[in-house]
Amino acid sequence: MLRQKPGIESIAKMFINQLLAPYKLKYDLSVELKDNIYWVNLKGDDISFLIGRKGVILYSLQHLLRLYLRRSMDEEVMVTLDINGYRADKERKLVFLAKKAAFRVKKTGRKFVFRPMPAALRRIIHKTLENNPEVITYSEGKEPRRRVIVALKSRNG
């Protein structure tokens, strides 16, 4: 009898449930696929502490989940862990800030430099502005001080 390889959803749920079991927390866990990224969503009244200051714990948990999935699936999997909508809210804010930065760059002609941020957050800014015909985005610096720059596209192509 052939056994089917467990899917990303079941592996992610098993990992999160085993990781959080000792804390006896009450939460709902769902997994959805959006833009080729698996979003693992946790919602509950007593789990916000898992976000940590500026999302540090959340990003660490996401990193562990990604490593576990990579090892279990033998392939690279794009996964985002969200707790009580923190990441979704952060993404909405970054999209707004990216558009605001592009407007400012077009208006003033001067580049806009974002504060240092993790690669996943920089990617949101790059993706938001990638089809903007008037500005370009690029990253400068070395981790953990790497930041996104928004600048005017050169007029001569």
mmCIF file of all heavy atoms in Angstrom, residues 106-128:
data_model
loop_
_atom_site.group_PDB
_atom_site.id
_atom_site.type_symbol
_atom_site.label_atom_id
_atom_site.label_comp_id
_atom_site.label_asym_id
_atom_site.label_seq_id
_atom_site.Cartn_x
_atom_site.Cartn_y
_atom_site.Cartn_z
ATOM 1 N N LYS A 106 8.166 61.141 -6.621
ATOM 2 C CA LYS A 106 7.730 61.775 -7.869
ATOM 3 C C LYS A 106 7.570 63.288 -7.684
ATOM 4 O O LYS A 106 7.906 64.057 -8.577
ATOM 5 C CB LYS A 106 6.408 61.167 -8.343
ATOM 6 C CG LYS A 106 6.560 59.762 -8.893
ATOM 7 C CD LYS A 106 5.267 59.242 -9.478
ATOM 8 C CE LYS A 106 4.439 58.577 -8.410
ATOM 9 N NZ LYS A 106 3.258 57.882 -8.932
ATOM 10 N N LYS A 107 7.074 63.678 -6.525
ATOM 11 C CA LYS A 107 6.810 65.104 -6.264
ATOM 12 C C LYS A 107 8.100 65.895 -6.052
ATOM 13 O O LYS A 107 8.253 67.002 -6.572
ATOM 14 C CB LYS A 107 5.897 65.232 -5.044
ATOM 15 C CG LYS A 107 5.430 66.628 -4.763
ATOM 16 C CD LYS A 107 4.452 66.644 -3.599
ATOM 17 C CE LYS A 107 4.010 68.072 -3.310
ATOM 18 N NZ LYS A 107 3.082 68.119 -2.193
ATOM 19 N N THR A 108 9.040 65.326 -5.289
ATOM 20 C CA THR A 108 10.252 66.071 -4.926
ATOM 21 C C THR A 108 11.452 65.763 -5.817
ATOM 22 O O THR A 108 12.394 66.551 -5.873
ATOM 23 C CB THR A 108 10.671 65.758 -3.475
ATOM 24 O OG1 THR A 108 11.058 64.385 -3.385
ATOM 25 C CG2 THR A 108 9.548 66.053 -2.489
ATOM 26 N N GLY A 109 11.449 64.595 -6.464
ATOM 27 C CA GLY A 109 12.595 64.191 -7.267
ATOM 28 C C GLY A 109 13.736 63.627 -6.433
ATOM 29 O O GLY A 109 14.784 63.259 -6.951
ATOM 30 N N ARG A 110 13.537 63.540 -5.123
ATOM 31 C CA ARG A 110 14.574 63.016 -4.221
ATOM 32 C C ARG A 110 14.226 61.602 -3.793
ATOM 33 O O ARG A 110 13.056 61.257 -3.611
ATOM 34 C CB ARG A 110 14.692 63.920 -2.994
ATOM 35 C CG ARG A 110 15.158 65.321 -3.360
ATOM 36 C CD ARG A 110 15.161 66.273 -2.188
ATOM 37 N NE ARG A 110 15.926 65.733 -1.094
ATOM 38 C CZ ARG A 110 15.829 66.184 0.158
ATOM 39 N NH1 ARG A 110 15.013 67.167 0.460
ATOM 40 N NH2 ARG A 110 16.569 65.646 1.112
ATOM 41 N N LYS A 111 15.252 60.774 -3.624
ATOM 42 C CA LYS A 111 15.002 59.390 -3.221
ATOM 43 C C LYS A 111 14.473 59.337 -1.790
ATOM 44 O O LYS A 111 14.692 60.247 -0.987
ATOM 45 C CB LYS A 111 16.265 58.544 -3.375
ATOM 46 C CG LYS A 111 17.382 58.868 -2.424
ATOM 47 C CD LYS A 111 18.579 57.974 -2.708
ATOM 48 C CE LYS A 111 19.716 58.301 -1.758
ATOM 49 N NZ LYS A 111 20.877 57.448 -2.019
ATOM 50 N N PHE A 112 13.776 58.243 -1.495
ATOM 51 C CA PHE A 112 13.222 58.008 -0.167
ATOM 52 C C PHE A 112 13.887 56.760 0.391
ATOM 53 O O PHE A 112 13.946 55.732 -0.287
ATOM 54 C CB PHE A 112 11.700 57.813 -0.234
ATOM 55 C CG PHE A 112 11.059 57.618 1.110
ATOM 56 C CD1 PHE A 112 10.627 58.706 1.843
ATOM 57 C CD2 PHE A 112 10.916 56.347 1.645
ATOM 58 C CE1 PHE A 112 10.042 58.530 3.090
ATOM 59 C CE2 PHE A 112 10.339 56.158 2.892
ATOM 60 C CZ PHE A 112 9.898 57.255 3.616
ATOM 61 N N VAL A 113 14.378 56.828 1.617
ATOM 62 C CA VAL A 113 15.075 55.712 2.250
ATOM 63 C C VAL A 113 14.229 55.199 3.418
ATOM 64 O O VAL A 113 13.952 55.941 4.363
ATOM 65 C CB VAL A 113 16.467 56.141 2.759
ATOM 66 C CG1 VAL A 113 17.196 54.957 3.391
ATOM 67 C CG2 VAL A 113 17.291 56.752 1.637
ATOM 68 N N PHE A 114 13.820 53.940 3.338
ATOM 69 C CA PHE A 114 13.086 53.319 4.443
ATOM 70 C C PHE A 114 14.055 52.916 5.549
ATOM 71 O O PHE A 114 15.254 52.749 5.310
ATOM 72 C CB PHE A 114 12.344 52.060 3.954
ATOM 73 C CG PHE A 114 11.051 52.348 3.253
ATOM 74 C CD1 PHE A 114 11.018 52.532 1.881
ATOM 75 C CD2 PHE A 114 9.867 52.431 3.959
ATOM 76 C CE1 PHE A 114 9.832 52.794 1.224
ATOM 77 C CE2 PHE A 114 8.671 52.683 3.318
ATOM 78 C CZ PHE A 114 8.649 52.877 1.944
ATOM 79 N N ARG A 115 13.531 52.738 6.730
ATOM 80 C CA ARG A 115 14.341 52.244 7.849
ATOM 81 C C ARG A 115 14.716 50.784 7.573
ATOM 82 O O ARG A 115 14.059 50.117 6.775
ATOM 83 C CB ARG A 115 13.574 52.377 9.155
ATOM 84 C CG ARG A 115 12.320 51.551 9.168
ATOM 85 C CD ARG A 115 11.597 51.569 10.490
ATOM 86 N NE ARG A 115 10.294 50.955 10.403
ATOM 87 C CZ ARG A 115 10.050 49.685 10.160
ATOM 88 N NH1 ARG A 115 11.033 48.850 9.983
ATOM 89 N NH2 ARG A 115 8.824 49.221 10.085
ATOM 90 N N PRO A 116 15.762 50.271 8.216
ATOM 91 C CA PRO A 116 16.134 48.858 8.015
ATOM 92 C C PRO A 116 14.981 47.931 8.391
ATOM 93 O O PRO A 116 14.230 48.214 9.334
ATOM 94 C CB PRO A 116 17.307 48.658 8.966
ATOM 95 C CG PRO A 116 17.871 50.017 9.160
ATOM 96 C CD PRO A 116 16.698 50.955 9.110
ATOM 97 N N MET A 117 14.840 46.845 7.622
ATOM 98 C CA MET A 117 13.767 45.882 7.885
ATOM 99 C C MET A 117 14.155 44.524 7.333
ATOM 100 O O MET A 117 15.027 44.428 6.469
ATOM 101 C CB MET A 117 12.443 46.367 7.289
ATOM 102 C CG MET A 117 12.445 46.552 5.803
ATOM 103 S SD MET A 117 10.898 47.229 5.138
ATOM 104 C CE MET A 117 10.975 48.914 5.666
ATOM 105 N N PRO A 118 13.490 43.476 7.827
ATOM 106 C CA PRO A 118 13.784 42.118 7.341
ATOM 107 C C PRO A 118 13.432 41.958 5.860
ATOM 108 O O PRO A 118 12.614 42.702 5.308
ATOM 109 C CB PRO A 118 12.882 41.223 8.195
ATOM 110 C CG PRO A 118 12.430 42.062 9.333
ATOM 111 C CD PRO A 118 12.503 43.482 8.897
ATOM 112 N N ALA A 119 14.013 40.961 5.238
ATOM 113 C CA ALA A 119 13.828 40.712 3.804
ATOM 114 C C ALA A 119 12.360 40.556 3.418
ATOM 115 O O ALA A 119 11.933 41.059 2.380
ATOM 116 C CB ALA A 119 14.616 39.471 3.388
ATOM 117 N N ALA A 120 11.580 39.870 4.233
ATOM 118 C CA ALA A 120 10.168 39.651 3.903
ATOM 119 C C ALA A 120 9.417 40.977 3.800
ATOM 120 O O ALA A 120 8.544 41.127 2.941
ATOM 121 C CB ALA A 120 9.518 38.756 4.950
ATOM 122 N N LEU A 121 9.758 41.934 4.645
ATOM 123 C CA LEU A 121 9.091 43.232 4.598
ATOM 124 C C LEU A 121 9.602 44.069 3.432
ATOM 125 O O LEU A 121 8.833 44.778 2.784
ATOM 126 C CB LEU A 121 9.276 43.972 5.923
ATOM 127 C CG LEU A 121 8.711 43.261 7.161
ATOM 128 C CD1 LEU A 121 8.914 44.100 8.414
ATOM 129 C CD2 LEU A 121 7.247 42.923 6.972
ATOM 130 N N ARG A 122 10.888 43.973 3.147
ATOM 131 C CA ARG A 122 11.434 44.695 1.980
ATOM 132 C C ARG A 122 10.778 44.191 0.702
ATOM 133 O O ARG A 122 10.459 44.975 -0.199
ATOM 134 C CB ARG A 122 12.964 44.506 1.894
ATOM 135 C CG ARG A 122 13.734 45.181 2.998
ATOM 136 C CD ARG A 122 15.226 45.249 2.702
ATOM 137 N NE ARG A 122 15.828 43.988 2.335
ATOM 138 C CZ ARG A 122 16.389 43.134 3.190
ATOM 139 N NH1 ARG A 122 16.432 43.416 4.484
ATOM 140 N NH2 ARG A 122 16.930 42.007 2.751
ATOM 141 N N ARG A 123 10.550 42.888 0.643
ATOM 142 C CA ARG A 123 9.933 42.281 -0.540
ATOM 143 C C ARG A 123 8.545 42.871 -0.807
ATOM 144 O O ARG A 123 8.145 43.072 -1.961
ATOM 145 C CB ARG A 123 9.835 40.766 -0.345
ATOM 146 C CG ARG A 123 9.525 39.993 -1.592
ATOM 147 C CD ARG A 123 9.579 38.477 -1.391
ATOM 148 N NE ARG A 123 10.857 38.019 -0.877
ATOM 149 C CZ ARG A 123 11.041 37.450 0.322
ATOM 150 N NH1 ARG A 123 10.026 37.251 1.134
ATOM 151 N NH2 ARG A 123 12.233 37.056 0.714
ATOM 152 N N ILE A 124 7.803 43.189 0.251
ATOM 153 C CA ILE A 124 6.470 43.782 0.102
ATOM 154 C C ILE A 124 6.570 45.140 -0.589
ATOM 155 O O ILE A 124 5.784 45.449 -1.495
ATOM 156 C CB ILE A 124 5.778 43.917 1.477
ATOM 157 C CG1 ILE A 124 5.462 42.526 2.043
ATOM 158 C CG2 ILE A 124 4.505 44.755 1.371
ATOM 159 C CD1 ILE A 124 5.085 42.519 3.505
ATOM 160 N N ILE A 125 7.542 45.946 -0.206
ATOM 161 C CA ILE A 125 7.724 47.262 -0.823
ATOM 162 C C ILE A 125 8.124 47.116 -2.286
ATOM 163 O O ILE A 125 7.555 47.774 -3.159
ATOM 164 C CB ILE A 125 8.757 48.093 -0.040
ATOM 165 C CG1 ILE A 125 8.236 48.381 1.371
ATOM 166 C CG2 ILE A 125 9.074 49.404 -0.775
ATOM 167 C CD1 ILE A 125 9.246 48.979 2.301
ATOM 168 N N HIS A 126 9.089 46.245 -2.551
ATOM 169 C CA HIS A 126 9.521 46.017 -3.934
ATOM 170 C C HIS A 126 8.340 45.560 -4.801
ATOM 171 O O HIS A 126 8.143 46.064 -5.905
ATOM 172 C CB HIS A 126 10.633 44.967 -4.005
ATOM 173 C CG HIS A 126 11.937 45.405 -3.423
ATOM 174 N ND1 HIS A 126 12.595 46.547 -3.826
ATOM 175 C CD2 HIS A 126 12.720 44.850 -2.463
ATOM 176 C CE1 HIS A 126 13.723 46.659 -3.147
ATOM 177 N NE2 HIS A 126 13.818 45.650 -2.310
ATOM 178 N N LYS A 127 7.572 44.607 -4.290
ATOM 179 C CA LYS A 127 6.450 44.061 -5.054
ATOM 180 C C LYS A 127 5.372 45.118 -5.290
ATOM 181 O O LYS A 127 4.780 45.177 -6.372
ATOM 182 C CB LYS A 127 5.861 42.854 -4.314
ATOM 183 C CG LYS A 127 4.851 42.096 -5.119
ATOM 184 C CD LYS A 127 4.455 40.811 -4.429
ATOM 185 C CE LYS A 127 3.596 40.043 -5.363
ATOM 186 N NZ LYS A 127 2.504 39.394 -5.040
ATOM 187 N N THR A 128 5.120 45.952 -4.295
ATOM 188 C CA THR A 128 4.098 46.996 -4.416
ATOM 189 C C THR A 128 4.428 47.982 -5.534
ATOM 190 O O THR A 128 3.549 48.416 -6.273
ATOM 191 C CB THR A 128 3.942 47.761 -3.077
ATOM 192 O OG1 THR A 128 3.539 46.837 -2.062
ATOM 193 C CG2 THR A 128 2.913 48.874 -3.184
#
